Amino acid sequence: YAKINLTLKVNYKNKNNLHEIQSYFCLINLFDKIKIKKIKGKKDKIIFKGPFAKLVRKSNNSILSLFKFLRELRLISDFYSVTVIKNIPVFSGLGGGTGNAAFILKYLFKKRLKKSLLSLAERKIGTDLRLFFHSQGFLKNLRSIQSLKKKHKLFFVLIYPKITCSTKEIYARVKNYSKKKKLEKKILNNESQFIRGLSKSSNDLQSIVEKKYPVVTRLLMNIRN
């Protein structure tokens, strides 16, 4: 499944040179389809199909990185054929590549996936990997997620402006930081309060994206109008 950051605050840069963020997030009903099976041989076979397959790096992607990482730890010895139908736009901030890796981790380890392995995998795959193990939640920092007990039924309009926006490049342009906030429990239980609370918040990366891609500003103006 794809994920959406409902809010996003960039707090500071940690000692590992990663941006610490806080975010309300959720998974949405937009998903890639993955077929996976064991094969004979000494090489994985990864095939990408679908509307966004052309933008995926065939020789360096999250699935290949995951298999390589798991073999280095001697947690798997088999090789796999994987076909991915890419329905999630690439370079869109929806976490499609990381979500694919998360799905395969779930498939390989079922309920035996340890937190220590997940933490190690994040360093190889991406700091948003653990988000895909929660349908809705609050990311307190890069190491801690508070799952929302009451799940709200939310609806979204997704607009694809046909741009490829590198998350890494956008974070590299962050100059100002926001203060850390606690989970606002008072807005969580009521759906309308939750949505109002989200609408009063913001995404610290939005102004950077708008500056680089003016088409996003025009789209947002049209929506508001």
Side-chain angles (χ1 to χ4, degrees), residues 48-63:
F48 293 94
K49 297 180 179 180
F52 300 103
K54 291 181 180 179
L55 294 173
V56 180
R57 291 187 291 253
K58 306 300 186 294
S59 60
N60 181 22
N61 54 68
S62 62
I63 297 174

Side-chain angles (χ1 to χ4, degrees), residues 25-176:
F25 68 91
C26 71
L27 303 187
I28 62 172
N29 194 28
L30 170 66
F31 50 86
D32 293 340
K33 292 184 178 180
I34 299 178
K35 294 180 181 180
I36 179 170
K37 64 179 180 180
K38 292 179 184 179
I39 57 173
K40 294 180 180 179
K42 297 294 181 181
K43 189 176 181 180
D44 296 306
K45 185 179 180 182
I46 316 294
I47 299 171
F48 293 94
K49 297 180 179 180
F52 300 103
K54 291 181 180 179
L55 294 173
V56 180
R57 291 187 291 253
K58 306 300 186 294
S59 60
N60 181 22
N61 54 68
S62 62
I63 297 174
L64 285 173
S65 297
L66 178 65
F67 285 149
K68 182 181 178 182
F69 162 72
L70 293 175
R71 289 193 188 99
E72 287 173 353
L73 294 179
R74 297 184 179 181
L75 294 174
I76 63 170
S77 56
D78 296 304
F79 288 81
Y80 296 88
S81 169
V82 182
T83 301
V84 183
I85 309 299
K86 288 300 297 180
N87 297 316
I88 301 172
V90 182
F91 296 112
S92 62
L94 296 172
T98 310
N100 293 163
F103 170 87
I104 291 173
L105 266 176
K106 292 177 187 179
Y107 169 79
L108 293 174
F109 294 95
K110 304 299 188 284
K111 294 181 179 180
R112 296 178 289 108
L113 183 61
K114 296 179 180 179
K115 289 182 179 179
S116 57
L117 175 58
L118 185 58
S119 296
L120 287 172
E122 279 186 321
R123 298 176 191 175
K124 290 285 184 180
I125 308 303
T127 54
D128 56 344
L129 182 67
R130 67 180 63 221
L131 301 187
F132 293 91
F133 293 82
H134 304 263
S135 58
Q136 292 183 18
F138 176 65
L139 180 68
K140 294 193 284 187
N141 53 58
L142 293 182
R143 298 160 305 285
S144 179
I145 292 175
Q146 187 162 340
S147 190
L148 303 188
K149 291 181 180 179
K150 183 175 177 59
K151 304 294 190 293
H152 299 297
K153 191 173 183 180
L154 305 173
F155 296 87
F156 301 92
V157 175
L158 298 184
I159 300 174
Y160 178 58
K162 296 184 179 180
I163 59 175
T164 53
C165 184
S166 165
T167 303
K168 184 178 180 180
E169 184 181 338
I170 296 303
Y171 271 109
R173 299 183 180 213
V174 173
K175 294 180 181 178
N176 301 313

Side-chain angles (χ1 to χ4, degrees), residues 11-24:
N11 303 129
Y12 62 93
K13 227 176 189 182
N14 64 26
K15 62 182 180 181
N16 296 318
N17 210 32
L18 297 172
H19 287 91
E20 286 285 351
I21 66 171
Q22 291 184 303
S23 173
Y24 285 101

